[in-house]
Amino acid sequence: MADAVADGRADGEILPPSDYGMLVPDGWFRIPLEPDGWKAPVRALAERVFEGQDDAVLLKREFVKAVGARAEEGYENGGVELYVSTTSIGPVPLSSSLLVTVAPAEEDIRLEAKGRSQEVTDVVLPFAGPATMRRTRRVPDAEDPTGNQLPVTVVDYAVRVPNTQAILLLTFSTTLDMFADAMVDLFEAVAKSLHWK
């Protein structure tokens, strides 16, 4: 993670940060995205999610497969860590996740609005500096390979790593369509805790 953040070049003698930190809600499970490093954490996450459900073997297997595929895809796209919510309110799981990606200097990351279901805003994160925020609502196709049929709200924050050309991208998502605004407020609170080390 630190190597990924520090890949950019320093301007003059000011060194770029070597790492970042942020506060995530209790119940968000961290999966580091290193080659083959996510398999054990994904299995541990499944054990937590399906604890006490001995009759959910097939569901657990599908869960491991889906989260593992997401972790692998995230890593292939520059992801350094994935957080998955294990929190529930009563019987309702607070379905949400956060993928943290470092885009190197040569990649051109621009968050642009593409359609009526998107909004793009310039924001300032108190401890990390200027950022661009994009909120998108996507309704999956009937043929969606993940099997998801629920609308997905995605919030991206693109933040320039100081004294580099690299971009840190925070990608939050939730399928809680009825509570999307509340979840977006939660995502904003996490993004505002981002700080450089």
Side-chain angles (χ1 to χ4, degrees):
M1 179 168 36
D3 291 341
V5 170
D7 272 347
R9 295 290 173 259
D11 292 334
E13 296 187 14
I14 301 174
L15 295 175
S18 62
D19 207 347
Y20 64 87
M22 67 186 145
L23 301 175
V24 298
D26 287 340
W28 281 28
F29 192 93
R30 179 181 177 269
I31 301 170
L33 300 184
E34 288 121 15
D36 295 323
W38 58 79
K39 291 180 181 177
V42 168
R43 285 193 298 272
L45 172 61
E47 291 298 327
R48 180 183 293 187
V49 169
F50 292 96
E51 185 176 6
Q53 300 179 42
D54 296 333
D55 57 346
V57 175
L58 290 176
L59 284 175
K60 186 195 263 186
R61 189 177 301 147
E62 287 302 310
F63 178 85
V64 167
K65 185 177 174 184
V67 176
R70 176 118 193 260
E72 188 166 5
E73 179 185 11
Y75 173 75
E76 288 172 357
N77 291 313
V80 292
E81 55 186 350
L82 172 66
Y83 292 86
V84 178
S85 173
T86 62
T87 308
S88 297
I89 296 182
V92 179
L94 293 181
S95 173
S96 57
S97 65
L98 163 61
L99 175 65
V100 182
T101 305
V102 176
E106 59 272 13
E107 284 191 29
D108 186 14
I109 300 294
R110 294 185 189 173
L111 299 184
E112 299 172 341
K114 297 177 182 173
R116 290 183 297 169
S117 64
Q118 294 192 4
E119 63 180 76
V120 176
T121 311
D122 289 329
V123 297
V124 176
L125 302 179
F127 309 110
T132 301
M133 185 275 288
R134 177 178 62 193
R135 178 177 175 172
T136 307
R137 182 178 183 273
R138 179 177 59 84
V139 178
D141 296 330
E143 314 292 315
D144 190 304
T146 65
N148 179 42
Q149 299 301 310
L150 301 171
V152 180
T153 297
V154 177
V155 180
D156 295 295
Y157 284 87
V159 190
R160 173 112 22 226
V161 180
N163 304 308
T164 76
Q165 296 300 308
I167 297 287
L168 188 71
L169 186 63
L170 308 178
T171 301
F172 299 90
S173 63
T174 183
T175 54
L176 293 175
D177 202 43
M178 288 179 57
F179 305 105
D181 288 341
M183 296 304 293
V184 168
D185 289 344
L186 173 65
F187 299 160
E188 179 182 12
V190 174
K192 283 184 171 180
S193 75
L194 178 68
H195 56 279
W196 306 113
K197 296 180 177 182

